[in-house]
Amino acid sequence: VKDLTIGYDLPLCTITCDILQGEKVAIIGPNGKGKSTFLKTLMEQVSPLSGEFLFGHQIEVGYFDQELAQFDTNNTVLEEVWNDFSELNRTEVRTALGCFLFSGEDVFKTVDCLSGGEKVRLSFVKLMLSHPNFLMMDEPTNHLDAFSREELENTLLNYSGTMLIVSHDRYFINKLATEILELTPTGIVEYQGNYDEYIQKSRYSG
């Protein structure tokens, strides 16, 4: 990412950074300063105001959008997954759903009846079945109860690809991140390590 100015009518910030294979990068900063817009820009949902970005060769992106707009609400949970991954058999689909706490009659609920937390879990079933090597996630723990959040953390701790995370959940960031990118009025400040290490270094540097 080089001199990438993001925003809508007015610029929010300008970002220059490199994200390397295997890194787990969390973006932090005040509300309204461009964290979600940065991800949307990388996904080409929002046009950059200036600058450029480039994905490496053979990058397969998986994107979690906190707005959860990618479902057919008339489908059952089982159908929602199976329609997108028709090469799997019923047992494989149910096993994948079970990894994200959909068991028994839960798989026959229609999507429009799901809670916010259930929709988040369903999003991650589909996301992980697509086998991305670069995950971009915008507030993935929103709507999750403590048990569901812990299951998601365990799944992501075992994920070997690269991650770019926007989250206000400091505990979640602390468990997963290997690098922190802080959005500031003058651009990005990079900190190696998790959230606790970021707090120590930012206090020291301040």
Side-chain angles (χ1 to χ4, degrees):
V1 179
K2 184 177 180 181
D3 298 326
L4 184 69
T5 300
I6 61 172
Y8 296 88
D9 297 330
L10 297 172
L12 293 170
C13 64
T14 299
I15 299 170
T16 295
C17 67
D18 292 310
I19 298 173
L20 304 180
Q21 182 178 3
E23 288 184 332
K24 319 297 190 218
V25 180
I27 307 170
I28 65 172
N31 287 337
K33 297 302 181 183
K35 300 186 297 297
S36 295
T37 305
F38 180 37
L39 265 59
K40 286 179 171 18
T41 303
L42 296 180
M43 289 300 298
E44 299 184 341
Q45 295 179 0
V46 175
S47 297
L49 300 180
S50 63
E52 59 187 358
F53 64 90
L54 178 68
F55 289 108
H57 185 54
Q58 294 184 327
I59 296 297
E60 298 290 337
V61 177
Y63 177 52
F64 174 85
D65 180 355
Q66 61 175 313
E67 295 171 6
L68 300 172
Q70 69 275 38
F71 296 129
D72 182 337
T73 56
N74 295 317
N75 281 339
T76 66
V77 168
L78 185 64
E79 289 168 341
E80 181 64 26
V81 176
W82 213 352
N83 287 352
D84 284 358
F85 299 94
S86 56
E87 73 279 7
L88 301 180
N89 63 41
R90 186 185 184 90
T91 299
E92 290 170 327
V93 173
R94 294 203 64 159
T95 298
L97 286 166
C99 290
F100 284 88
L101 309 179
F102 289 103
S103 59
E105 295 301 309
D106 289 343
V107 303
F108 301 114
K109 288 182 179 178
T110 55
V111 172
D112 63 346
C113 293
L114 298 181
S115 67
E118 288 171 325
K119 288 179 179 177
V120 169
R121 289 192 274 118
L122 182 56
S123 288
F124 272 99
V125 174
K126 297 174 70 174
L127 198 56
M128 300 312 287
L129 282 174
S130 68
H131 302 296
N133 53 24
F134 180 33
L135 271 180
M136 290 197 288
M137 297 176 285
D138 189 4
E139 299 291 356
T141 60
N142 276 9
H143 310 296
L144 291 181
D145 59 32
F147 184 64
S148 299
R149 186 177 62 217
E150 185 176 347
E151 289 299 305
L152 176 59
E153 288 168 358
N154 290 336
T155 297
L156 295 176
L157 283 169
N158 291 318
Y159 173 70
S160 60
T162 306
M163 290 193 291
L164 182 60
I165 310 163
V166 169
S167 178
H168 288 91
D169 187 336
R170 303 315 188 202
Y171 179 78
F172 181 76
I173 292 174
N174 206 45
K175 286 197 72 171
L176 294 174
T178 60
E179 182 177 349
I180 304 292
L181 298 182
E182 182 181 17
L183 285 188
T184 74
T186 56
I188 283 279
V189 181
E190 299 185 43
Y191 297 87
Q192 293 298 318
N194 62 15
Y195 189 75
D196 283 347
E197 291 169 299
Y198 153 73
I199 291 295
Q200 293 173 351
K201 291 173 183 176
S202 60
R203 284 175 178 167
Y204 179 77
S205 62

